[in-house]
Each structure stands twice: as C-alpha cells, then as structure tokens.
Amino acid sequence: MAGTILALRADFLEQTTPDLESGNLFNLSAKCGYAVISMGMRDWNFLLKSSFKRRRLRRRIKRSIDPNSRTTKNEPKLDVLNPHILNHAEGHSVTQGILKAIKDKLQEGLLHYKTKEGSSPEQLLYWYPSLNSGLPVVPKKDAIHQSIYMFHDMVHTCLYDPLPDSDFQTYILGKMVGEAMSQLIADGIFAHLLQANYQADYPYKKRYYIQMYTHLKSIDIRSLSIALAHFAVFDNRKPLIALCKSSEAKKWTHVFCNLYAKMFQADLWWNDQIYQQYQGKTFEYNPEYCYRNNKKTSLNTIEDIVDHNLSLLQQLDVPETGNGLLLAKQLSQGNEFVYSFVQVNYKKKIDPTVLNPIRMKLKQ
C-alpha cells in the first residue's frame, strides 16, 4: 500500500520506510508502546533482513515474531492466565456466557492461546477477531492486568466483527462499537467483579475505567453501550454525561473521556485505513467459514449494531460451527498473507482535519 509507514520507537529506529511489509508485530508493538495494524504478510522475515540501524530493535523483533526463537524472558507463562481469576467472570450473566463460549471454542480447537510454541506461523501472523483462531498472549505487569487484557480479546471474538468488504458505515461502526463494548464488558463489568471479589488490596482505583463504571453500573448495558459508542466514534461525551446521576459520576466520566479520547481517535483512523486497503476485495461467506459474529449484515447505525451484539451474546450457548481460519485464507491468493503496517501512537492526538471527513461519511 503506497505511503504506508512503519515507525517503531524513534529511539530504536532512526528511519521510516514506505511500503514496509513483514510479519505480525502484535507483541512487539505492545512492548514498544504502539499499536500496529496487521492485515497480511508477504515475507515475514523481511524485518529480520532489513538494515535497521539499531541491533536492539532487530533482536526484539526476532524474539517477537521468529518461531525458531526460544527466548522467553519477556513472555508470560500460560499460568499467568490464572483460571481462578478468569472464573470470576461467572459472577455476571454477560461475562459468564462469554467465558463459557471461549472455553468451548478452546476445547473444540476453534481457539487457542497464541504463542510461538503453540501456534503455526500463519496463526501467529495476524490478529482479526473473526478470522483469528488464537488469543494473543501479551505480557503485562501482573496477573490481574493480564487477565483483564485477555478477557477484552475474548469479548472481541463474541461480538459483531464485520469484514472490510462491507458498506463503509457498517464496517467502521461495527469495529468501533465492538471496541467500545469490549471495553465495557472487560474493563468495566469483569474488572468490577474482580474488584469486588478478588485481592482487595490490588490498586483497582488506578484503573480509571472501573472508577467510571462503578458509578454507571446501574445503567442498562444497551444504553451504556450506545453512549460509549457515540463517544468512541464521534468524540461526543454528552450521551455519557447524560447518564450520570451524581457529580462524582460526572467527574469520573470526564476523566475517562479525557484519557480514552486519543485511543478511540486512533482506532477510528486505523479502521478507516484498513477499509481503504481492502477496497474491491470480496469474501466468500460460506457457513463453514464464518463464525456467527462475522456474517455479513447491512447494519449502519450504532443503535442497530449494539442490538445485534446483544443478540449475539444471547446466542453464546449455541455451538459454533464456523471456522475463522478458513475465511482468513481468503485474505490473499494462495494462503500468502499480505500484511501492511500502519503505526498508531495512542498517546498522540490525531488532527481533527483527518478524522472529521471520516465522521462526516458516517453521519450520511
């Protein structure tokens, strides 16, 4: 894709390279403080062969994406994903259903924890909830943080996740509503369950999403999801503030909005970039390929997509018959994944002149 740039930590990389193509840098980007969009691969050893100026970056890339590398210093052990932490999800009907569905998929081989040792090169190379048969194992500083992060990805595999041959509004709104609801369920509902029932001395209050959710938990999930999605897409916090019943609730909701605005801005731009990359691409929606959550729809409003997600959550006890890996093979010819990377810095505000045209198209 002309003009696509991979920029990884200026202190590691003193150059940018147009049209950079390589393997999955999901774990690397997490370690470096960036999110990297990955939608395919042509030569996953490209970065290892590239003439980067810093050997430290090359070593870090190799540890992250080379399946022959057995360096595990910075990788979490699977026992960090403590079942006795995740099992607290059983305390709420929504999180209980998600946890059971994930356990069933893991048992049936439709999902696995993505690691160098347990994943094929193809499975290791991409992250797309409706296509991906692996849950990324990303190092975090403690088991509780790790479990909340993992549960967020688990939620993504259960919500509507349109492919980029959908209508523009359907695709962008579907992705953004999915992110807003995944945060609500993992960082709000699940994290609050842990706060109430697990390790009371853990600094939960440093997780500002919990602070907001504590004051909004009495709001029904549909109304809260719609308000969060309007903020995520249009940077409009008024629907969220309107749900607040106290000055303390408003205070923490403003704190949340101030902290998360840049992240949602980056997600909006990110999803628009992916959609543009796949212009003209069509996918075969064979029932054997599709998970329920990536079947094609014509939904084009936040409210309709929230309702669709709530419907999908009600169907979690119905066995899944699709296989996302089969659909993933359609990303390019001959199983040759073609990855393009777009660097996203969640700490940097994106200029409104970049985002406003996207938002205007979504309002049409």
Side-chain angles (χ1 to χ4, degrees):
M1 174 181 174
T4 298
I5 298 173
L6 172 64
L8 290 174
R9 292 297 288 270
D11 56 333
F12 290 145
L13 184 61
E14 298 175 356
Q15 63 186 21
T16 56
T17 307
D19 303 314
L20 191 60
E21 297 173 278
S22 177
N24 185 8
L25 297 182
F26 187 90
N27 289 330
L28 173 65
S29 65
K31 296 171 188 173
C32 289
Y34 287 88
V36 179
I37 300 168
S38 53
M39 291 299 295
M41 171 186 163
R42 189 164 297 159
D43 179 3
W44 83 309
N45 287 314
F46 180 90
L47 287 180
L48 299 180
K49 300 173 185 175
S50 296
S51 56
F52 288 121
K53 296 182 179 180
R54 300 292 181 90
R55 291 185 178 181
R56 183 181 175 188
L57 176 61
R58 293 186 64 185
R59 289 197 301 269
R60 180 171 273 185
I61 291 171
K62 185 169 184 176
R63 285 200 305 268
S64 297
I65 67 174
D66 185 354
N68 296 316
S69 169
R70 292 301 177 216
T71 303
T72 59
K73 179 180 178 181
N74 295 320
E75 290 187 3
K77 303 294 184 183
L78 277 183
D79 59 9
V80 172
L81 305 171
N82 292 295
H84 65 279
I85 298 179
L86 291 175
N87 284 344
H88 283 286
E90 295 176 358
H92 190 284
S93 59
V94 171
T95 50
Q96 180 185 42
I98 290 169
L99 182 63
K100 183 181 183 303
I102 295 300
K103 286 181 176 179
D104 290 345
K105 285 185 179 181
L106 287 168
Q107 186 174 6
E108 294 165 12
L110 297 177
L111 274 176
H112 75 288
Y113 291 121
K114 179 181 296 201
T115 64
K116 291 181 211 171
E117 291 76 14
S119 307
S120 69
E122 291 78 17
Q123 291 169 327
L124 195 64
L125 290 177
Y126 63 92
W127 166 244
Y128 200 95
S130 21
L131 308 180
N132 194 348
S133 73
L135 294 165
V137 179
V138 181
K140 295 297 175 184
K141 61 183 179 181
D142 60 67
I144 292 177
H145 190 180
Q146 176 94 19
S147 298
I148 293 172
Y149 194 95
M150 175 59 71
F151 203 82
H152 180 106
D153 283 333
M154 290 177 172
V155 178
H156 267 300
T157 69
C158 298
L159 298 180
Y160 179 49
D161 193 39
L163 299 179
D165 64 344
S166 305
D167 176 79
F168 178 79
Q169 286 180 290
T170 300
Y171 179 76
I172 301 296
L173 292 179
K175 300 294 286 187
M176 295 300 293
V177 170
E179 180 60 29
M181 292 187 70
S182 292
Q183 281 190 3
L184 170 60
I185 294 170
D187 298 68
I189 297 174
F190 176 59
H192 184 69
L193 288 170
L194 293 181
Q195 183 183 36
N197 300 292
Y198 186 75
Q199 288 192 10
D201 59 341
Y202 183 81
Y204 290 101
K205 289 186 177 181
K206 290 185 178 180
R207 303 186 67 87
Y208 295 107
Y209 204 109
I210 296 180
Q211 297 279 49
M212 178 187 68
Y213 177 75
T214 298
H215 295 283
L216 299 179
K217 63 182 180 179
S218 62
I219 307 297
D220 68 274
I221 190 172
R222 182 180 187 273
S223 298
L224 193 48
S225 296
I226 290 172
L228 285 164
H230 275 280
F231 173 66
V233 178
F234 299 111
D235 201 21
N236 178 11
R237 66 180 68 182
K238 290 181 180 179
L240 261 179
I241 299 301
L243 296 176
C244 298
K245 300 177 181 178
S246 68
S247 58
E248 194 72 4
K250 289 182 180 179
K251 172 187 133 179
W252 287 111
T253 300
H254 279 301
V255 169
F256 160 78
C257 291
N258 292 338
L259 288 173
Y260 280 72
K262 294 175 185 177
M263 189 213 71
F264 285 127
Q265 291 168 7
D267 273 352
L268 180 61
W269 178 80
W270 170 356
N271 287 308
D272 178 68
Q273 292 294 303
I274 292 178
Y275 187 83
Q276 301 307 325
Q277 177 180 327
Y278 274 84
Q279 285 285 289
K281 175 69 177 177
T282 59
F283 296 87
E284 179 185 348
Y285 289 82
N286 186 309
E288 293 183 2
Y289 290 2
C290 293
Y291 290 135
R292 276 190 297 272
N293 65 327
N294 65 260
K295 290 182 178 177
K296 201 163 190 176
T297 78
S298 58
L299 302 173
N300 60 9
T301 69
I302 286 174
E303 291 74 13
D304 285 347
I305 293 171
V306 168
D307 287 338
H308 184 55
N309 279 335
L310 294 176
S311 175
L312 288 171
L313 292 175
Q314 292 294 319
Q315 301 175 50
L316 291 177
D317 58 342
V318 179
E320 182 63 75
T321 58
N323 187 331
L325 277 179
L326 297 178
L327 185 56
K329 293 178 180 180
Q330 298 180 57
L331 285 174
S332 62
Q333 296 297 320
N335 287 342
E336 184 182 283
F337 290 78
V338 181
Y339 276 65
S340 293
F341 289 88
V342 182
Q343 170 258 339
V344 180
N345 185 345
Y346 283 119
K347 297 181 180 180
K348 183 178 180 181
K349 185 176 181 179
I350 297 178
D351 194 295
T353 60
V354 175
L355 297 177
N356 286 342
I358 303 173
R359 290 171 174 150
M360 289 300 296
K361 287 170 67 177
L362 294 172
K363 290 180 178 179
Q364 293 175 358

